[in-house]
Amino acid sequence: MSRKVTHHLPPAMLAQYAAGRLSYAFSVLAAAHVSLCRDCRDQLAAHEAAAGLLLEEAAPAAVSEDLLPRLLARLEEPAAPQDRQVEDGARPSGIYPGPVMMALKGRPPRWWHLGSGIRQALLHHGPGGSLRLLSVPAGRPVPRHTHRGTEFTLVLQGGFHDETGHFSVGDVEVADARLEHTPTADPGEACICLAATDAPLRFSGIVPRLLQPLFRI
Amino acid sequence: MDGAQSADERGTALDSQTRLLLAVRDRRDRAAFAALFAFYAPRLKAMLLRGGAGDALAEDVVQDTMLTVWRKAAQFDPARATASAWIYRIARNRQIDIFRRETRPLPDDAGREEQEKDAFASVALAEQVHRLRAALRQLPAEQRAVLESAYLDGLSHGDIARAKGLPLGTVKSRIRLAMGRLRRLLENSAKP
Ligand SMILES: [Zn+2]
């Protein structure tokens, strides 16, 4: 886990995660990277420390007089299951960090075959973007493609390289509409990545454009 | 119960809120919890009102946050966070749960190294936070206001932009500038 990560989250993304401003898909990816990266864990702690200091110095707003007695009366109440999940997160399992296990709801991924041995498991799809796992066989290139919107790819197993560099476990590649690339999985083992986008991917090779909405890629 | 203070609590380098939280963690001290409530509840409410919540909703989130502080105090580690940072994170989790009906995914702890639990780590953290506080105080008023907005306002930059009547790009670049300034102040304070 402590191997040195070389491609990190953009700094602004950590600030936005700290402030709760990322969409669900992006916040799963950010929390998963932080689970694997000591540097970004420290950065996030620094953002929260700064936020905490500003909270301390915020001009207070009067609260209702009965708020404290109502709260004290509830202290021994057991926590609802939903509350426990909000505060405890999920444990990592195998190659999947806790945040990914949470998005998987604790179950193994349900893979769909996309062709050429490439598989995908959709974890979340909503107005704020989509989140999926991608598995590419060792040594296999992914057909050349571009991106609508912004896409973050976090490596969970194996590695890949493309025109911009090499990425291994813990590394994040940030792609936007300007990047057209052909990522190729490293030899050895399948490359499994978590990909979060704020728009659907455009493939030009495997699946005809017409079918893209059906496959949600 | 006298003499039951933990080694953590005795650390004088720690700020008073963090010491109160340790009394809650180690002794389930209700008076300390009430003191934490007296300090944080009005500040958390102010943050939630900034975020666009109405009065009643803001108090619901405050109540949920403080209830979670009581329940989860055993997980608090002064080597990793001050009370304020820890409670801020909980408040954001509760706010996202209640406002968006979403569970914010949290980083897991698998990658944390044991040495971080070192007894000196909480003092080291307290010193760094002390420097951060000094740097925040040196920040020009308008940049400090930008950071307050970045950390304490609502759950989207779009909301902040609308509230201030500014384009989204302007809001984001102002935040970047203020963060850069804060970083430089911190770097200067690190020099002997
Ligand atoms: Zn990182």
Side-chain angles (χ1 to χ4, degrees), chain A residues 55-79:
Chain A
L55 175 66
E56 283 175 18
E57 294 179 13
V63 297
S64 312
E65 274 181 20
D66 64 343
L67 193 59
L68 179 60
R70 278 194 285 137
L71 177 61
L72 291 175
R74 290 183 61 196
L75 289 188
E76 305 314 324
E77 218 175 76

Side-chain angles (χ1 to χ4, degrees), chain A residues 1-2 11-12 15-25 27-32 34-36 38 41-80 82-93 96-100 102 124, chain B residues 15 17 30 33-34 37 39-47 49 55 59-60 62-64 66-68 70-72 75 80 82 84-90 92-97 100 102-113 115-116 129-130 132-133 136-137 144 147-157 160 172 175-176 179 182-183:
Chain A
M1 286 290 161
S2 31
Q16 292 192 49
Y17 175 84
R21 290 201 187 102
L22 294 179
S23 67
Y24 179 75
S27 63
V28 172
L29 185 127
V34 168
S35 301
L36 299 171
R38 171 88 192 255
R41 182 185 300 273
D42 289 348
Q43 291 279 325
L44 177 59
H47 283 297
E48 287 174 336
L53 288 171
L54 292 167
L55 175 66
E56 283 175 18
E57 294 179 13
V63 297
S64 312
E65 274 181 20
D66 64 343
L67 193 59
L68 179 60
R70 278 194 285 137
L71 177 61
L72 291 175
R74 290 183 61 196
L75 289 188
E76 305 314 324
E77 218 175 76
Q82 165 64 10
D83 291 342
R84 282 201 297 273
Q85 206 204 2
V86 169
E87 293 316 320
D88 293 346
R91 308 288 315 148
S93 174
Y96 303 115
V100 179
M102 185 193 262
H124 173 82
Chain B
D15 64 84
Q17 282 74 243
R30 284 182 180 241
F33 180 73
F37 179 93
F39 183 80
Y40 287 108
R43 288 167 173 82
L44 290 169
K45 184 173 174 184
M47 173 173 108
L49 292 174
D55 210 82
E59 292 202 349
D60 282 351
V62 170
Q63 194 178 28
D64 258 27
M66 294 309 296
L67 191 56
T68 305
W70 174 260
R71 285 174 179 160
K72 297 294 167 190
Q75 292 174 8
R80 296 171 68 186
T82 58
S84 293
W86 191 70
I87 291 173
Y88 173 82
R89 177 185 278 204
I90 290 174
R92 284 310 200 196
N93 292 342
R94 304 306 323 187
Q95 191 182 2
I96 290 166
D97 181 49
R100 290 203 204 135
E102 253 174 41
T103 301
R104 179 164 68 152
L106 303 172
D108 68 52
D109 279 343
R112 279 194 70 222
E113 281 143 48
Q115 62 180 39
E116 291 174 52
V129 171
H130 182 75
L132 181 58
R133 187 195 305 274
L136 279 167
R137 290 202 170 134
R144 189 189 158 94
L147 286 191
E148 280 171 3
S149 176
Y151 290 122
L152 304 182
D153 279 359
L155 295 180
S156 92
H157 276 148
I160 299 174
K172 288 187 176 178
I175 293 174
R176 236 183 343 264
M179 297 259 183
L182 181 63
R183 195 176 317 115

Side-chain angles (χ1 to χ4, degrees), chain A residues 8 33 37 40:
Chain A
H8 297 276
H33 175 79
C37 176
C40 288

Side-chain angles (χ1 to χ4, degrees), chain A residues 91-146:
Chain A
R91 308 288 315 148
S93 174
I95 62 167
Y96 303 115
V100 179
M101 285 311 291
M102 185 193 262
L104 282 165
K105 301 184 174 66
R107 294 188 289 261
R110 295 176 58 183
W111 295 106
W112 289 49
H113 292 274
L114 292 179
S116 305
I118 300 172
R119 296 180 302 162
Q120 162 176 285
L122 190 66
L123 304 188
H124 173 82
H125 181 72
S130 68
L131 182 72
R132 62 211 204 291
L133 290 165
L134 277 171
S135 172
V136 179
R140 186 77 49 87
V142 174
R144 189 164 185 80
H145 60 273
T146 55

Side-chain angles (χ1 to χ4, degrees), chain A residues 140-174:
Chain A
R140 186 77 49 87
V142 174
R144 189 164 185 80
H145 60 273
T146 55
H147 307 260
R148 254 174 286 172
T150 306
E151 180 176 58
F152 294 86
T153 305
L154 169 69
V155 182
L156 300 176
Q157 175 184 291
F160 73 87
H161 67 271
D162 68 7
E163 292 82 342
T164 70
H166 184 263
F167 299 83
S168 38
V169 173
D171 285 333
V172 176
E173 180 176 52
V174 186

